Amino acid sequence: MKHLVCGWIGVICLLLLSVACSRKEADYTIAVSQCSEDDWRAQMNKEILREALFYPGVNVEVYQAHDDNTHQIKDIESLIERKVDLLIVAPNEAEAITPVIEKAYDAGIPVILVDRKINSKKYTAYVGADNYEIGRKAGEYIADRLGGKGRIIEITGLRGSTPAVERHRGMMEALKAAPGVQVVASAEAGWFRQKAGEVMDTLLDAHPQVNLVFAQNDRMAIGAYEKARQKNRAGQIAFVGVDAVAGGVESVAEGKLDATFIYPTGGDKVIQVAMAILRGEPYQRENILSTALVNRANARVMQMQMKHILTLDQKIELLNHQLDDYFLRYSAQTMFLYACVVILILAGFLFFFLVRAFWVKNRMNTELSTQKQQLEQQRDQLQEQRDQLIALSRQLEEATHAKLAFFTSVSHDFRTPLTLIADPINQLLEEKHLGERERNMLEIVRKNVAVLLRLITQILDFQKYEHGKLALLRLSEFNALECIKDWTEAFHTLAFRKHIQFEVKAEGDVAQYVMVADAEKIERITYNLLSNAFKFTPEKGEIKVVLSRIEKDGQPCLCMEVSDTGIGMSEEHIHHVFERFYQIDAQHTGSGLGLALVEAFVQLHKGTVRVESEKGKGTCFRVVLPMKQEGEVKEVIEKNESLKNLQEGAVLDAGQETLHQWVENVEVDGTADKEVVLVIDDNQDVRDYVKMLLQDKYTVIEAVNGQEGIRQAMKYVPDVVVCDVMMPVMDGIECCKRLKSELQTSHIPVLMLTAYAMDEQRIQGYDSGADSYLTKPFNAKLLLARIRNLIDNRKRLKSFTEDATVVSGKQSLGEVDKGFVEKLKALIEEKMSNSDLSVEDLGAELGLGRVQLYRKTKSLTGYAPNELLRIARLKKAASLLASSEKTVAEITYEVGFSSPSYFTRCYKDYFGESPSEFLKRRDGKN
């Protein structure tokens, strides 16, 4: 009952909160994207926010682009995704901002342009002054001020913004009536005061005689004035600006500026038009604000008006704050009233539940009696199920023994043919007339035969343990520290190749580690623990073997800790790690008997083995064995007489399953004609074998897993990738998917190798983008044929190229490759006039290195990047020669050639005639 009451309280509180919050939600959200941040725009923002106060339910958000096209485009894109009700934009540059404004307009969001326009008619309304008219009035004033004769300098705003363009056009139109007024220089200062000073510094040095400076806003005019004053020329020059904000009017009153023109902000008008649009009321699409001249005659009056307006603004803000306080008080009183109502309702509910509790208690007593009877029935059923589980457990145990018996039987059958294989291989390796290729292949066979023999021995040992035939220990006296150092010596090579820090250390004196035990089984314990550690430890990890002598139950014991910084295990895996045939995942394959044998051998020595692990941080196995076993000592093992099995087959086994060997690839020349094949496989022997098959015809590079393969493919951009499916770190399916999604590698054919022939895995591989499949063991001739066909098919795609700079729509390219070709074409057309443009510059624009760009472009188009650039320039030049009256030299530099002579030579090589011969032929036709 208490829980039910609390639930009702929560529901009522949520309803009250939703009511309170709903009153604060805005009816309309208006976003303002300002191109820059200055006094004029700050005044506009104040007017917009102040006018919005007269429209309850309107939320205005102001964003600043800080004169950055990319920043403003990103802001508008996010506002489109938010689906704001209306967008107010002052575009930084018309050409750059036009596409995103058109996108907002097409998305159904009303767009009001303020101050500046765009190169499109896709906007809802415009509010701002007529910049052309301001420029025209400025030109008339300049002509009148100079008496129709003089030299002037123009400092413009951002060239790409419409105010800069229109003000310049208006001024020049007005000055046509005063031919005696000469514009000696026009420079861009981007609307900034400091930059205008820097520009003015240069212009004053270049033009010793200047009568007037016209800056397209007051900030630039003041910056120009300050620089002229530093050079003691301010008294000789009149300065005219535009905006008439506080700083500009003050400068006119102080005599720094000769005049300025009012450029109204119109923030109140913007909100009025916006609300008319949102409410569906009539509105005017073009809202042109008026302007006027401010000079010394009226500057003081303007200052007084501005101060008065500022005082009124402050009073309005004060009233707004007071209204907010009143609304807060009203809300608090409303919530208090709601709380009182809630308390009354809860009191009613409490009374109702107290009355209801009495009869609920009686009903529950009846139900409990019924449930008791049901529980007794369930207990009987559980007893029956337990008996069934016991029977199933026995059946499972019998099945496990049958599986082990089958493995043992098969293992016995394997030993004879493997022995017959191993001895002839060893004899063949002793032959002196063998070639290097044949010797390498036989060495691979010998290594893998040793691995198979060791795995078979492991299965047989476990079968003996299962049947109690390993109960007897072959005792010997030996120094555990010295022997363990010998047994682990071969792992140092493995650690070096895998870049793993591996060390064996002991506490105390060497003499205290003399023990009586079964040395062979302790060696097997050491090997299996280290094999497991190397299997799950990635490159640049750390593995330690730490020995110590401890006391346990009153007797001395050897404590051996094998720790690593590998992937670690979850709690679930720790509980099953010593179970036979148990594997953590499919990527780290093995027999599943190694750790089970460790536990078995430790138990034979009446010791203990314990594991501690944390996911992502590593694992530590701790083995504790009595220093002296009871029984007859068969032999004494001296130093350097310990078992040497590791040298032949033990580490080979670990390498087959776990070694991510370090591969030092040859340098691949990005312009070489010999095709490049990348082989990705975690098995060193497989990589060596494939490399041996391919190295005569191809340049072969290697990688030990999918992650390393992606890095190699991104670096060298091979012609084809041969990739295994089952690998640690990153498997072949994920590797293929990543290769096909990256710009640098999306065009590369991928041939998958797999030991499994299941259709499901093949489907998964093809879904990830694989081009072909081969099942292990594979035929060498088939592998070579598949690789040759994949490369030839890629080359055939080039024949569909209709133009040197564009790939035909018929070509079977993926979306990533099509986008790359189109982007490369657009980039070449945009940058071709730059004679310093290099392949490295093109690659930097596309996010690719020189080799990556060369190999990808050559693969897709059949041309190198520099060839594409030269052809594009020559075709552009041919078009200009045919359609314009420009000279050969002018066209040479316009299309990006560094000299006319070089251009003429390239033109004749490509078109079969020189530019001058073409011009003569063209004029002759005319």
Side-chain angles (χ1 to χ4, degrees):
M1 184 182 71
K2 292 181 180 178
H3 293 296
L4 192 55
V5 173
C6 293
W8 277 106
I9 293 173
V11 171
I12 294 172
C13 291
L14 287 173
L15 289 173
L16 292 176
L17 288 173
S18 65
V19 171
C21 292
S22 64
R23 295 185 178 185
K24 295 180 181 179
E25 291 180 356
D27 297 329
Y28 299 110
T29 298
I30 298 175
V32 181
S33 175
Q34 287 286 11
C35 58
S36 62
E37 191 172 9
D38 52 44
D39 294 340
W40 188 86
R41 298 194 185 280
Q43 180 63 29
M44 178 191 286
N45 293 339
K46 286 182 180 179
E47 293 174 359
I48 289 173
L49 295 172
R50 182 179 63 217
E51 186 68 20
L53 295 174
F54 295 100
Y55 298 93
V58 174
N59 177 39
V60 178
E61 301 175 1
V62 180
Y63 298 84
Q64 295 289 351
H66 303 290
D67 301 286
D68 187 342
N69 291 332
T70 304
H71 191 163
Q72 189 167 34
I73 291 170
K74 185 178 179 181
D75 285 344
I76 296 174
E77 290 276 8
S78 66
L79 294 171
I80 294 172
E81 291 179 4
R82 285 180 50 196
K83 297 180 180 179
V84 295
D85 298 294
L86 187 139
L87 190 59
I88 300 171
V89 183
N92 188 49
E93 289 187 87
E95 183 176 355
I97 306 301
T98 295
V100 74
I101 292 180
E102 289 180 336
K103 180 179 179 181
Y105 184 84
D106 292 338
I109 301 175
V111 179
I112 298 178
L113 300 179
V114 295
D115 174 31
R116 305 177 181 182
K117 289 190 175 182
I118 60 174
N119 299 336
S120 173
K121 295 298 182 181
K122 287 189 176 183
Y123 61 88
T124 310
Y126 169 76
V127 178
D130 187 338
N131 284 290
Y132 174 82
E133 183 63 20
I134 289 177
R136 191 182 63 79
K137 288 188 176 183
E140 293 175 352
Y141 175 80
I142 291 170
D144 181 65
R145 174 71 172 77
L146 297 178
K149 184 177 181 180
R151 295 165 61 86
I152 70 171
I153 290 175
E154 180 190 24
I155 301 178
T156 71
L158 199 63
R159 291 283 190 192
S161 62
T162 54
V165 175
E166 293 175 358
R167 290 177 187 178
H168 170 77
R169 189 162 55 88
M171 182 194 73
M172 298 304 293
E173 187 67 27
L175 290 179
K176 288 181 179 179
V181 177
Q182 181 184 2
V183 179
V184 296
S186 179
E188 177 188 351
W191 308 110
F192 297 115
R193 178 173 179 173
Q194 182 178 354
K195 190 172 181 180
E198 297 171 357
V199 169
M200 190 65 182
D201 188 17
T202 303
L203 294 176
L204 287 174
D205 292 339
H207 302 282
Q209 181 61 37
V210 177
N211 303 106
L212 185 142
V213 173
F214 171 58
Q216 291 188 350
N217 73 356
D218 290 341
R219 285 194 298 172
M220 295 190 295
I222 294 171
Y225 168 81
E226 291 173 348
K227 182 56 66 174
R229 187 183 62 184
Q230 293 176 10
K231 290 181 172 287
N232 296 321
R233 294 181 61 182
Q236 308 167 8
I237 304 171
F239 295 86
V240 178
V242 177
D243 277 352
V245 291
V249 174
E250 290 175 0
S251 297
V252 173
E254 294 171 359
K256 296 179 181 179
L257 301 184
D258 191 72
T260 184
F261 289 85
I262 296 175
Y263 189 56
T265 53
D268 51 351
K269 182 64 176 178
V270 172
I271 291 297
Q272 292 168 11
V273 174
M275 293 310 299
I277 294 171
L278 291 174
R279 291 176 174 177
E281 300 172 356
Y283 66 93
Q284 189 172 346
R285 189 169 190 265
E286 300 294 331
N287 300 271
I288 305 302
L289 306 177
S290 59
T291 183
L293 173 68
V294 178
N295 54 22
R296 292 191 183 182
N298 58 4
R300 295 297 180 187
V301 176
M302 289 290 296
Q303 278 186 298
M304 292 169 51
Q305 289 178 345
M306 286 182 173
K307 290 180 180 178
H308 180 65
I309 292 172
L310 180 61
T311 302
L312 292 177
D313 287 344
Q314 292 172 348
K315 290 180 179 180
I316 291 173
E317 290 180 2
L318 178 61
L319 290 173
N320 184 41
H321 289 314
Q322 290 178 346
L323 282 173
D324 289 340
D325 291 338
Y326 292 148
F327 279 124
L328 286 174
R329 293 179 188 175
Y330 171 76
S331 298
Q333 292 172 356
T334 303
M335 290 301 294
F336 178 74
L337 178 61
Y338 288 158
C340 292
V341 173
V342 169
I343 291 172
L344 291 174
I345 293 173
L346 290 177
F349 273 111
L350 183 61
F351 177 76
F352 169 76
F353 283 116
L354 287 174
V355 173
R356 189 172 177 272
F358 177 75
W359 63 267
V360 169
K361 179 181 178 182
N362 293 332
R363 189 187 67 183
M364 291 182 65
N365 287 334
T366 304
E367 291 177 354
L368 286 173
S369 177
T370 305
Q371 290 176 0
K372 181 180 179 182
Q373 296 176 356
Q374 293 175 350
L375 288 174
E376 290 177 352
Q377 294 175 357
Q378 292 176 359
R379 183 187 62 187
D380 296 336
Q381 293 174 356
L382 289 174
Q383 184 69 26
E384 183 180 353
Q385 290 176 359
R386 189 193 68 173
D387 296 338
Q388 293 176 354
L389 287 174
I390 292 173
L392 287 173
S393 177
R394 290 173 181 169
Q395 294 175 7
L396 181 61
E397 186 72 19
E398 292 173 359
T400 302
H401 282 293
K403 180 170 67 172
L404 186 59
F406 170 75
F407 284 155
T408 304
S409 177
V410 172
S411 299
H412 277 293
D413 292 339
F414 281 165
R415 288 182 68 87
T416 300
L418 284 175
T419 303
L420 294 175
I421 294 172
D423 187 62
I425 292 297
N426 290 330
Q427 294 183 32
L428 286 173
L429 283 171
E430 294 176 359
E431 295 290 335
K432 297 181 179 180
H433 66 276
L434 285 178
E436 187 65 24
R437 177 185 177 91
E438 290 78 7
R439 187 173 298 277
N440 289 336
M441 287 186 174
L442 288 173
E443 187 65 31
I444 292 173
V445 175
R446 186 190 67 81
K447 290 180 182 179
N448 286 277
V449 168
V451 171
L452 286 174
L453 284 171
R454 184 168 186 86
L455 291 175
I456 290 170
T457 301
Q458 192 162 261
I459 293 175
L460 294 175
D461 285 347
F462 193 80
Q463 192 268 346
K464 291 178 183 179
Y465 171 76
E466 287 283 291
H467 290 84
K469 295 181 180 179
L470 282 180
L472 297 178
L473 298 176
R474 180 182 174 84
L475 299 182
S476 58
E477 182 179 329
F478 59 96
N479 189 295
L481 175 57
E482 293 177 349
C483 287
I484 288 176
K485 285 185 176 180
D486 283 346
W487 296 334
T488 59
E489 184 63 30
F491 281 97
H492 286 282
T493 302
L494 180 60
F496 172 77
R497 299 169 83 180
K498 199 176 175 184
H499 301 291
I500 290 177
Q501 183 179 346
F502 174 56
E503 62 176 329
V504 179
K505 60 182 182 179
E507 300 176 0
D509 188 25
V510 176
Q512 68 181 6
Y513 289 99
V514 176
M515 67 184 299
V516 176
D518 190 327
E520 180 182 358
K521 291 180 175 54
I522 294 179
E523 175 267 325
R524 298 285 295 280
I525 291 171
T526 304
Y527 158 70
N528 281 327
L529 291 179
L530 283 175
S531 176
N532 188 76
F534 276 92
K535 181 186 297 185
F536 294 101
T537 301
E539 293 187 2
K540 300 182 181 179
E542 183 178 349
I543 297 176
K544 291 182 181 179
V545 178
V546 180
L547 302 178
S548 61
R549 181 180 173 124
I550 64 173
E551 294 288 331
K552 185 177 181 182
D553 298 330
Q555 63 175 331
C557 295
L558 172 69
C559 177
M560 178 172 64
E561 292 185 352
V562 179
S563 61
D564 62 68
T565 58
I567 63 175
M569 294 181 285
S570 64
E571 192 70 25
E572 175 188 358
H573 292 309
I574 291 175
H575 292 314
H576 302 284
V577 73
F578 292 112
E579 294 180 5
R580 54 196 172 189
F581 309 120
Y582 183 78
Q583 296 176 354
I584 290 181
D585 56 44
Q587 290 184 349
H588 298 87
T589 57
S591 64
L593 291 177
L595 293 179
L597 279 174
V598 167
E599 185 180 46
F601 292 157
V602 170
Q603 290 176 355
L604 286 176
H605 284 82
K606 299 180 177 61
T608 59
V609 58
R610 184 165 52 89
V611 59
E612 296 178 356
S613 184
E614 186 175 350
K615 192 73 172 176
K617 292 188 177 180
T619 304
C620 178
F621 286 87
R622 190 172 189 266
V623 177
V624 177
L625 302 172
M627 295 293 292
K628 186 174 183 180
Q629 301 290 326
E630 296 180 359
E632 181 184 356
V633 177
K634 301 292 184 180
E635 60 180 327
V636 177
I637 301 178
E638 300 294 340
K639 183 178 180 181
N640 297 326
E641 294 180 0
S642 54
L643 300 175
K644 299 297 182 180
N645 293 334
L646 285 171
Q647 303 297 331
E648 292 296 328
V651 177
L652 294 176
D653 186 13
Q656 286 293 98
E657 295 183 11
T658 71
L659 179 57
H660 307 169
Q661 294 184 1
W662 173 66
V663 180
E664 182 178 2
N665 284 304
V666 298
E667 287 296 324
V668 179
D669 185 2
T671 60
D673 292 332
K674 199 173 182 181
E675 288 97 345
V676 179
V677 179
L678 169 61
V679 180
I680 308 174
D681 199 301
D682 61 324
N683 190 299
Q684 178 68 47
D685 291 337
V686 173
R687 293 201 308 273
D688 291 342
Y689 179 61
V690 174
K691 184 176 182 179
M692 195 182 308
L693 295 174
L694 302 179
Q695 62 187 0
D696 292 339
K697 296 181 179 180
Y698 306 98
T699 299
V700 181
I701 57 178
E702 305 175 48
V704 298
N705 54 57
Q707 191 176 78
E708 175 65 19
I710 290 172
R711 285 198 294 267
Q712 298 284 21
M714 298 278 281
K715 181 177 181 181
Y716 296 110
V717 193
D719 295 281
V720 69
V721 173
V722 179
C723 182
D724 188 23
V725 174
M726 302 300 294
M727 293 184 293
V729 183
M730 179 187 291
D731 62 26
I733 301 297
E734 180 63 23
C735 176
C736 181
K737 190 181 300 181
R738 289 277 301 278
L739 288 173
K740 292 297 184 178
S741 65
E742 293 291 341
L743 173 64
Q744 297 95 318
T745 58
S746 58
H747 66 286
I748 302 174
V750 178
L751 170 62
M752 304 292 286
L753 297 179
T754 178
Y756 300 97
M758 295 183 295
D759 289 340
E760 291 81 359
Q761 191 183 65
R762 289 175 178 268
I763 293 171
Q764 188 180 9
Y766 286 126
D767 286 343
S768 68
D771 297 272
S772 187
Y773 245 104
L774 272 183
T775 303
K776 294 179 181 178
F778 53 82
N779 182 281
K781 292 182 178 179
L782 180 59
L783 174 66
L784 291 170
R786 288 280 177 89
I787 292 175
R788 186 70 263 163
N789 284 340
L790 288 174
I791 295 177
D792 289 344
N793 287 340
R794 172 57 61 180
K795 289 182 176 179
R796 290 188 191 102
L797 291 177
K798 299 174 187 175
S799 65
F800 290 96
T801 305
E802 295 180 349
D803 188 86
T805 58
V806 64
V807 176
S808 169
K810 299 178 182 178
Q811 189 170 349
S812 301
L813 294 181
E815 292 299 324
V816 176
D817 292 336
K818 288 181 181 178
F820 167 78
V821 174
E822 291 300 326
K823 189 173 182 181
L824 176 62
K825 175 186 175 185
L827 187 61
I828 289 176
E829 291 178 351
E830 178 186 353
K831 302 285 187 178
M832 70 168 65
S833 60
N834 180 7
S835 60
D836 295 328
L837 183 65
S838 65
V839 175
E840 285 78 5
D841 296 333
L842 291 174
E845 292 282 348
L846 294 168
L848 301 175
R850 182 184 65 82
V851 174
Q852 295 170 335
L853 178 62
Y854 175 88
R855 294 190 63 81
K856 187 171 184 72
T857 306
K858 189 80 172 177
S859 175
L860 292 177
T861 68
Y863 291 89
N866 56 344
E867 292 176 318
L868 290 177
L869 179 60
R870 184 170 64 252
I871 292 171
R873 284 171 168 167
L874 290 172
K875 290 190 174 183
K876 179 68 174 179
S879 175
L880 292 174
L881 284 170
S883 62
S884 70
E885 297 299 325
K886 295 181 179 180
T887 64
V888 173
E890 290 174 334
I891 293 175
T892 295
Y893 298 117
E894 183 173 342
V895 298
F897 280 92
S898 57
S899 69
S901 60
Y902 177 65
F903 164 68
T904 300
R905 186 167 66 253
C906 292
Y907 189 95
K908 187 169 184 179
D909 290 341
Y910 189 77
F911 290 106
E913 62 177 349
S914 66
S916 57
E917 290 172 345
F918 172 79
L919 291 176
K920 290 178 181 178
R921 183 164 54 84
R922 184 197 67 178
D923 295 338
K925 289 182 179 180
N926 290 339

